[in-house]
Amino acid sequence: MTLLSLNSMKTNIGQYSVLHDISINVPEGGVFVLLGRNGAGKTTTLRSIMGLWKPSPGSVTFRGQDITNLHTADIARLGIAFVPENMGIFGGLTIEENLILATKTGQFDQTRLDRVWELFPAMKTFWTKQAWSLSGGQKQMLAVSRAIIEQRDLILIDEPTKGLAPSIIDAMADAFREISETTTILLVEQNFQFAKSLGRDMAVIDDGRIAHAGTMADFVADKELQESLLSLSA
Amino acid sequence: MDQVNKLIERLGGVYLLPVAVSLIALVLIGVPSSWVTLTVAGLAMGMMIFLMASGLSLVFGLMDVLNFGHSAFVSFGAFIAASVLAWLGGWLGSDSIILNSMAILAAFIAAFQFGLAAGWFFETVVIKPVYHDHLRQILITMGALIVAEQMILAIWGGAPMSVPRPSFLEGAFLIGDVAIEIYRVYALILGGLVYIALYLTLNRTRIGLLIRAGVENREMVEALGFRIDRLFVGVFMAGSALAAMGGVMWAGYETLITPALGAEMMIVVFIVVIIGGLGSIEGTLLGAIMVGLVANYVGFLAPKLALASNMILMMVILLWRPNGLKPAVK
């Protein structure tokens, strides 16, 4: 069943046309990976879904509902979480405050909080620390924790492995695998090893257009396609 | 240098600055009684400027809006208070402290309510159309300040207006050979109470948490499901009401006000917000206290430099800390 559909989506930022024609269907469950070179339009795609940049023309539907012209806050309240490339954490707030802001009622559901602590023990260890004092990996953990502290239907995650140490990337992959059992993840990633270890379905964006879409297994098997779309050597 | 910075941070960081400035002033002034009087005057002045500036700092931090019209609320607050106090002259002149206090309370309530209503109107009509455009924000808000000044001229006339004070706020405490004006102590206490209320709101409530988060990254607050534009209207209204309250305090302090009050205060208010660090209430308080202290000490030690003292202070602080003393984390 399709959870999210992008239909001939075009997005302009100022006078520049960044997305020319993006059409993808993200099925419910698992990890859908968006790949592409730098500047291809991956981040713009996620921001357009969240309503941070408005696509025009084209449409975005979530569970069959047209969300193209909804305000970002209303899109989030439908059950879509966003982990931006810069992580978007609030450095002057403690970890507890960062997480409580992401709850609907201002109260923690203890079961979900325990799950966050289990996935990312550092969140419990540094509970009362201000977020600016965390390491890069811990900040990314906090950003992901914020996305899962409430039950969401879809999490948009933008390049979560950027600048992280290999050991942290492994931990992040394990966490994403577990999260994707209950929540669909739309993952933008340049780290192909990381992406292929998680993705079930995928698409490649090139110059603001969908250049390829299919299953990750088929794409991994086609070295020639990888080389042509991502410049990955076999 | 790193070790010196670490030592300063351990001792209290930038919060030590007013203490250091006061101690240097004590040495330069040499007469403890004069120093105490000037210090209390500086702190009281700082508290009144804090009331005027705190809203502006949050408005800029939260929505990146440069509101040069902010001090119009200060002017209106001052003139509304003067009118209310004149109208309640009977209460003010009475021997009863309760009636005196009721008159002052009425002046504060009138100015506060005006600030809320005018803040809503100003945000909706003047500010909203120019979000994300600093140049137009400067032009339109400076224009609004001029319009506000002309409105005051039209309503209250151009002659300076005297502001009556109740007798219990007149005079001074004498402690040894130190004279401390009662009104200054009153300003200090009231400013302190407002700061505590603001601090508790920002640090102990969910709405405060949202404001602090919004100052850092408003886009992310929206991505978490909150309408920051609606929150901003509330913050703008509260900021305007605080500025109007600051105007009431300032009117009582000066006892003679003119329609140019807003334009005169605008520069000081902006200096305080810049020195303190945009978007930070702690920074605004620190900046306001520094401006108050330095203005009083320099006014005593080198009167010819008094007018330039705020600018010099701003230059020195920005050379040392380009983002201000205590900026909100961005």
Side-chain angles (χ1 to χ4, degrees):
Chain A
M1 182 189 163
T2 300
L3 181 67
L4 178 82
S5 287
L6 312 183
N7 312 301
S8 304
M9 193 170 76
K10 298 181 182 181
T11 301
N12 298 323
I13 302 172
Q15 58 184 328
Y16 302 104
S17 175
V18 181
L19 300 184
H20 307 297
D21 185 9
I22 299 288
S23 296
I24 50 173
N25 291 315
V26 178
E28 189 158 14
V31 179
F32 189 105
V33 182
L34 270 182
L35 295 165
R37 297 186 182 98
N38 256 343
K42 307 183 294 295
T43 295
T44 306
T45 302
L46 292 195
R47 291 178 64 84
S48 300
I49 295 168
M50 275 314 285
L52 293 166
W53 288 326
K54 292 292 176 198
S56 175
S59 67
V60 183
T61 58
F62 178 69
R63 290 202 181 283
Q65 180 188 348
D66 188 342
I67 62 169
T68 320
N69 293 313
L70 290 187
H71 190 278
T72 299
D74 299 327
I75 293 171
R77 280 199 289 266
L78 289 174
I80 303 178
F82 180 44
V83 181
E85 191 177 355
N86 65 6
M87 297 175 263
I89 63 157
F90 306 113
L93 273 52
T94 64
I95 289 179
E96 179 185 8
E97 288 173 331
N98 266 277
L99 290 179
I100 209 151
L101 258 188
T103 60
K104 284 178 186 157
T105 59
Q107 303 284 326
F108 287 117
D109 172 338
Q110 195 55 45
T111 315
R112 296 201 71 85
L113 185 59
D114 288 340
R115 185 173 173 234
V116 165
W117 284 346
E118 194 183 313
L119 279 172
F120 304 116
M123 296 301 100
K124 192 174 186 180
T125 310
F126 301 113
W127 190 239
T128 55
K129 292 269 183 203
Q130 285 190 307
W132 65 262
S133 65
L134 300 176
S135 69
Q138 288 163 349
K139 283 178 183 163
Q140 190 61 265
M141 289 173 191
L142 174 57
V144 175
S145 299
R146 210 169 44 186
I148 61 169
I149 195 68
E150 284 282 342
Q151 176 58 45
R152 321 272 184 194
D153 293 337
L154 174 66
I155 304 179
L156 316 177
I157 308 180
D158 196 356
E159 300 212 33
T161 63
K162 201 172 175 182
L164 299 187
S167 61
I168 305 283
I169 292 176
D170 291 343
M172 205 59 84
D174 291 340
F176 285 2
R177 234 169 257 123
E178 195 179 323
I179 293 166
S180 67
E181 286 171 13
T182 53
T183 308
T184 307
I185 295 177
L186 175 54
L187 176 70
V188 158
E189 190 51 71
Q190 286 213 60
N191 180 337
F192 186 57
Q193 296 305 317
F194 180 77
K196 76 178 184 185
S197 73
L198 290 167
R200 187 181 64 193
D201 300 288
M202 54 79 64
V204 179
I205 299 183
D206 190 27
D207 193 23
R209 292 181 174 81
I210 295 294
H212 172 81
T215 66
M216 183 60 86
D218 289 344
F219 188 69
V220 168
D222 194 337
K223 303 289 182 198
E224 206 172 302
L225 194 60
Q226 288 173 37
E227 167 66 21
S228 68
L229 292 175
L230 303 174
S231 306
L232 294 172
S233 45
Chain B
M1 194 62 194
D2 268 1
Q3 282 181 334
V4 174
N5 278 336
K6 276 179 189 165
L7 182 67
I8 291 172
E9 283 301 323
R10 210 173 299 149
L11 290 172
V14 289
Y15 294 111
L16 275 183
L17 205 55
V19 180
V21 167
S22 299
L23 292 177
I24 293 167
L26 176 60
V27 174
L28 294 173
I29 293 166
V31 184
S33 59
S34 302
W35 175 79
V36 172
T37 304
L38 289 168
T39 303
V40 173
L43 290 173
M45 185 180 165
M47 283 302 188
M48 285 184 272
I49 298 173
F50 165 72
L51 282 181
M52 300 175 203
S54 52
L56 182 68
S57 180
L58 284 180
V59 160
F60 188 88
L62 195 61
M63 288 301 275
D64 210 15
V65 167
L66 280 168
N67 179 15
F68 278 80
H70 187 75
S71 53
F73 303 111
V74 176
S75 296
F76 269 106
F79 276 90
I80 286 170
S83 294
V84 170
L85 291 173
W87 185 56
L88 295 174
W91 290 7
L92 214 56
S94 146
D95 291 335
S96 162
I97 290 185
I98 294 174
L99 280 181
N100 290 176
S101 306
M102 296 266 285
I104 291 175
L105 187 65
F108 271 117
I109 290 173
F112 192 80
Q113 287 190 334
F114 170 83
L116 287 178
W120 174 81
F121 178 81
F122 199 82
E123 200 280 336
T124 311
V125 175
V126 178
I127 300 287
K128 199 164 271 174
V130 293
Y131 277 167
H132 315 300
D133 188 342
H134 279 161
L135 182 61
R136 289 178 67 202
Q137 282 168 16
I138 292 169
L139 291 173
I140 201 165
T141 57
M142 286 196 86
L145 180 62
I146 294 167
V147 170
E149 199 173 309
Q150 294 305 311
M151 283 171 73
I152 289 172
L153 271 170
I155 298 169
W156 283 281
M161 189 171 179
S162 68
V163 184
R165 255 195 215 171
S167 54
F168 81 97
L169 289 178
E170 295 284 8
F173 297 116
L174 275 174
I175 305 166
D177 57 348
V178 178
I180 298 172
E181 260 190 63
I182 294 172
Y183 193 84
R184 286 174 175 163
V185 176
Y186 161 72
L188 206 54
I189 292 170
L190 199 70
L193 289 175
V194 170
Y195 173 73
I196 291 168
L198 269 178
Y199 181 85
L200 291 176
T201 304
L202 286 173
N203 290 284
R204 299 274 187 275
T205 66
R206 186 161 168 85
I207 202 106
L209 193 58
L210 273 171
I211 294 169
R212 284 157 58 213
V215 166
E216 283 192 42
N217 188 339
R218 60 179 178 274
E219 193 175 90
M220 199 60 224
V221 171
E222 295 197 319
L224 289 175
F226 300 98
R227 291 293 296 259
I228 200 101
D229 48 349
R230 290 176 191 163
L231 177 68
F232 178 64
V233 178
V235 171
F236 198 94
M237 288 168 68
S240 306
L242 282 172
M245 277 181 73
V248 179
M249 295 293 296
W250 195 257
Y253 178 64
E254 292 282 310
T255 64
L256 201 64
I257 52 173
T258 68
L261 170 70
E264 287 163 10
M265 292 312 296
M266 187 185 77
I267 297 168
V268 179
V269 164
F270 262 86
I271 287 175
V272 163
V273 169
I274 291 166
I275 286 176
L278 295 163
S280 153
I281 284 297
E282 289 92 338
T284 306
L285 179 67
L286 202 55
I289 286 175
M290 285 298 294
V291 164
L293 288 175
V294 169
N296 277 274
Y297 293 144
V298 175
F300 180 81
L301 291 165
K304 285 180 182 172
L305 280 178
L307 278 176
S309 65
N310 291 334
M311 288 289 179
I312 294 169
L313 177 71
M314 183 170 72
M315 282 165 55
V316 171
I317 287 179
L318 291 185
L319 282 172
W320 172 41
R321 292 176 91 105
N323 293 322
L325 291 171
K326 199 82 186 158
V329 178
K330 287 272 185 187

